[in-house]
Amino acid sequence: SFKYDAKHDPLGQMKAFKAAFADVEENPDWRSHKLIERQRWNPYSMEGGSTCAIAGDNFVVVASDTRMTAGDINVINREVDKIHALSDNIVMTNAGFYGDVLQMRRLLETHLHKYRFDYRSNMTVDLCAELLARNLYYRRFFPYYTGVILSGIDEHGKGAVFSYDPIGCIERLAYSASGAAEPMLIPFLDCQVGHVTLADGIERPKLTLERACALMRDAFRSCAEREITTGDSIHLVIAEAGKPVRHERRKLRED
Amino acid sequence: VSMWGLTYSEDDREVEDLGETFDALAVSAPVSANFTFPNPPLGIQPKGFVNAHFGPDSNAKSLQFRKGTTTLAFVYEPLTEQDVGGIIVAVDSRASAGEYISSKSVMKILDVGDHMVATMAGGAADCQFWCRTVHKYCNMFELRERSKITVSAASKYFANVLYGYKGQGLSVGSMVAGYDKRGPQIFMVNSEGDRTLLKTCSVGSGSLNAYGILDTYYKPKMTDEEARKLGRRAIMHATYRDAGSGGVCNMVHITPTQKVRYPGVDVSKL
């Protein structure tokens, strides 16, 4: 007579049986290719890179790197535009899945164009920010895979930076960053722009356009040292009240 | 390995005309009556899909949704002649995306009407969007009925809307607080579909700590100063012990006649 010792299971039979049972549960014979495709379907990919924006009294400085990577390893493109100046006072920058970046740009451009057609004046940054927040939320169940930052000059002539999460939680801030190097950029900006490390009584340095640009360049140079998907060159976009948008490019590490 | 699709409908649906969807979403703003949220294709259920790509186990840690909070509200009656009574609503201001603090200055008390506020707890974008929807409904109600909407009706609408999306992964834990003809009322509304009338209420990751302070020191009759101190104290204790709460303590005092917003106080100074 065969005595089976279930507690010790010396031949590993119970273990094999349980494994086979779990396998059949997960991969049943009747599962069609459609269901397999549904399970493996991944429309997203990360192209890397990082972006940053600082708002001043009457200007806004937006910076990004220009590297596009595939799967954190291969560099596909060294001259990609991640900052899109949608008009003279609205600048959108995006880090994440490049397909959604392009789609979001098309969406905003269409809306701005339609607004101009309907109301015969340019859309202001505050309205565009609300619009973008709602459009991001309309995709709540199939989100855009990006961290957007919208910046520009508001109707009072002050610089504005709006930061979003992927489904549209909007917040107006003095500075923001998104992308792969966000955890490195934000503490740097907290220290230099937010002055969280200075004691209360000490005088804070004024945030001029020159200081903001210098901070941005320094921030990206230090991020390129420590982050693999950030590098190649810095693309700076400066929007000032009453002036057309200016672009600047500086070389960064290419390794 | 989890199967996202609970509906194994094998009938092939034609690929939607993407131009139509783009037009519907982009060119003409969605009309509430016939707007439905676009879902992922192939019959993939949104909750599992969103959790797989934006959840804590996903590849992109920096793209997690903003969450985490402590919010509290309580009703009190005036103790002396000089006090006004009403509702104190106190919140923290931290939003965390996973373990990363994405913002330390979120405004979590949102207006839902001239005499009502709703707090934000759970998913930040969810709360912002749906509170805005409720605000729109309250405005339309006042225009149609020519009288102020009650807190009960506003919270009922809110709860009904959230119940429609029950099970799809929304995360909303909001308190609708206001003064109407029935007096001061606080309704806690949940993305599970709960709606409860409460005198003292706290929602969020730090709510247990806040309840400790609130339950110990709450009295039905208080002076205004005592009530404000209680609100700040509860938030301070919650932010002290809860990693998901912090930043600045924002407070709103709803009196029979008006809403008073107090400037934020950094919790490390409390």
Side-chain angles (χ1 to χ4, degrees), chain A residues 38-39 111 130 137 140 171, chain B residues 1 26 42 103 105 126 132:
Chain A
R38 196 182 285 163
Q39 199 179 335
H111 273 289
E130 287 290 339
Y137 198 85
R140 169 66 174 79
E171 216 206 320
Chain B
V1 173
L42 304 176
S103 173
S105 53
D126 292 331
R132 198 197 165 100

Side-chain angles (χ1 to χ4, degrees), chain B residues 130-147:
Chain B
W130 293 113
C131 286
R132 198 197 165 100
T133 314
V134 175
H135 191 173
K136 178 184 162 198
Y137 178 82
C138 292
N139 285 343
M140 294 299 285
F141 183 98
E142 282 185 27
L143 288 171
R144 269 200 313 263
E145 313 287 332
R146 279 187 278 179
S147 69

Side-chain angles (χ1 to χ4, degrees), chain A residues 32 34 38-39 41-42 103 107 111 114 130 137-138 140-142 145 163 165-166 169-171 182 186, chain B residues 1 4 7 12 22 26-27 37-38 40 42 44 53 60 63 66 100 103 105 126 128-130 132 169-170:
Chain A
S32 66
K34 212 176 166 83
R38 196 182 285 163
Q39 199 179 335
W41 193 69
N42 181 10
Q103 175 69 350
L107 196 77
H111 273 289
K114 182 163 192 283
E130 287 290 339
Y137 198 85
Y138 292 148
R140 169 66 174 79
F141 299 119
F142 185 14
Y145 204 67
S163 141
D165 76 342
C169 168
I170 181 177
E171 216 206 320
E182 181 190 358
I186 292 282
Chain B
V1 173
W4 293 324
T7 58
D12 269 16
F22 183 76
V27 180
F37 283 95
L42 304 176
I44 295 176
H53 288 114
L63 285 183
R66 294 185 187 163
Y100 175 71
S103 173
S105 53
D126 292 331
Q128 277 184 352
F129 186 83
W130 293 113
R132 198 197 165 100
L170 290 188

Side-chain angles (χ1 to χ4, degrees), chain B residues 76 84-87 115 178-179 224 253-260 262:
Chain B
Y76 73 101
V84 190
I87 305 179
H115 57 294
Y179 224 104
D224 287 345
H253 181 194
I254 305 179
T255 63
T257 45
Q258 56 174 335
K259 282 188 296 205
V260 182
Y262 289 99

Side-chain angles (χ1 to χ4, degrees), chain A residues 84-219:
Chain A
H84 309 283
L86 304 167
S87 78
D88 259 348
N89 58 348
I90 302 182
V91 178
M92 179 192 79
T93 177
N94 235 322
F97 173 45
Y98 204 64
D100 278 341
V101 169
L102 293 175
Q103 175 69 350
M104 215 180 293
R105 175 182 149 179
R106 271 176 234 134
L107 196 77
L108 282 183
E109 279 178 351
T110 314
H111 273 289
L112 287 172
H113 192 69
K114 182 163 192 283
Y115 186 94
R116 206 185 150 77
F117 183 76
D118 284 335
Y119 298 103
R120 291 217 256 168
S121 67
N122 283 323
M123 200 175 198
T124 55
V125 151
D126 316 86
L127 287 174
C128 193
E130 287 290 339
L131 178 83
L132 183 57
R134 265 177 286 145
N135 276 92
L136 285 170
Y137 198 85
Y138 292 148
R139 292 281 296 259
R140 169 66 174 79
F141 299 119
F142 185 14
Y144 288 113
Y145 204 67
T146 57
V148 198
I149 304 176
L150 193 79
S151 22
I153 311 292
D154 69 2
E155 35 189 16
H156 306 291
K158 289 186 177 300
V161 165
F162 294 92
S163 141
Y164 299 85
D165 76 342
I167 45 170
C169 168
I170 181 177
E171 216 206 320
R172 181 169 177 172
L173 299 164
Y175 52 88
S176 178
S178 95
E182 181 190 358
M184 293 181 213
L185 285 165
I186 292 282
F188 177 79
L189 293 176
D190 272 341
C191 173
Q192 296 294 326
V193 181
H195 305 300
V196 294
T197 49
L198 285 183
D200 281 335
I202 300 182
E203 193 197 323
R204 275 99 168 97
K206 194 163 159 17
L207 184 66
T208 58
L209 181 58
E210 290 75 28
R211 183 178 152 83
C213 290
L215 283 176
M216 286 294 215
R217 289 192 286 266
D218 282 347

